[in-house]
Amino acid sequence: MLNNWVVIPTCLPTVLRRCPACGSDRFRANGKFRVNANHKLLDAWLLVLCAACGDTAKLTVLERMNVRSVRPELLDRMHDNDPVLAAELLQDPVLRRRNRIALDWAGAWRLDTDGSDHLDRDVIDVSVRFAARIPVRPVRLIAEGCGLSRAEVERLIAEGKLVSTVRLSGKLSGDFTFTLKR
């Protein structure tokens, strides 16, 4: 029987960027947008607050776009300060590269395993799905989901009792499956 686990974001991730006011490197995104129109040109920013001093920084979403080329529903979502749109935009690699930011997902996600009825079986087949592109170490997910220590999971991998089609070392942000034999 295949068990389905889901990695679910619980809040917006921390934005890693240097604050010009205090030198801190952590910003909180709260889902607020600023939209500015200059005649027929439109600028839009996602606002982030410095975790140390509270200074506001702007992450460029749209820059000098013709108003007619912006989808009306996107503009409405920005005017409504849609937190789902903020999460989608923070996931966008183009926006992250343009604004020279990185994301820290520590404490911003949880693992949903649909209970612990699978823990007493000899063979466990698990499909792990990511609701958002959250980079997490598979060893950590397996340890948390199966109630094991990370060292125990590493030992099971070395013994060949924990197998997967993907490499379990490093970080993953895409769906994968694994089989655990006890």
Side-chain angles (χ1 to χ4, degrees), residues 9 20 23 26-29 47 57 72-73 77-78 80-81 85 91 96 119 122 159 180:
R26 304 180 89 60
F27 282 82
R28 293 183 321 266
L47 302 178
E73 56 273 2
R77 289 176 74 187
M78 282 193 266
D80 294 339
N81 292 321
L85 176 62
Q91 293 285 316
R96 290 198 317 255
L119 297 177
D122 290 336
E159 292 176 357
L180 174 62

Side-chain angles (χ1 to χ4, degrees), residues 121-139:
R121 291 193 219 127
D122 290 336
V123 177
I124 304 169
D125 289 318
V126 177
S127 170
V128 180
R129 188 176 62 80
F130 287 80
R133 294 189 53 81
I134 303 170
V136 181
R137 296 187 186 282
V139 171

Side-chain angles (χ1 to χ4, degrees), residues 34-88:
R34 172 143 189 254
V35 180
N36 187 32
N38 185 5
H39 299 289
K40 294 182 182 180
L41 300 177
L42 196 68
D43 292 313
W45 300 277
L46 174 62
L47 302 178
V48 292
L49 301 172
C50 177
C53 69
D55 197 32
T56 302
K58 298 185 287 188
L59 303 180
T60 302
V61 176
L62 301 174
E63 189 171 37
R64 295 301 195 207
M65 295 285 294
N66 191 312
V67 174
R68 294 191 187 276
S69 66
V70 178
R71 294 187 329 268
E73 56 273 2
L74 175 65
L75 200 53
D76 289 341
R77 289 176 74 187
M78 282 193 266
H79 283 300
D80 294 339
N81 292 321
D82 186 1
V84 175
L85 176 62
E88 291 171 8

Side-chain angles (χ1 to χ4, degrees), residues 94-116:
V94 174
L95 181 123
R96 290 198 317 255
R97 193 172 29 255
R98 178 192 304 153
N99 290 288
R100 295 184 185 99
I101 62 169
L103 301 178
D104 181 10
W105 284 94
W109 60 272
R110 68 179 169 84
L111 178 64
D112 183 14
T113 61
D114 286 337
S116 60

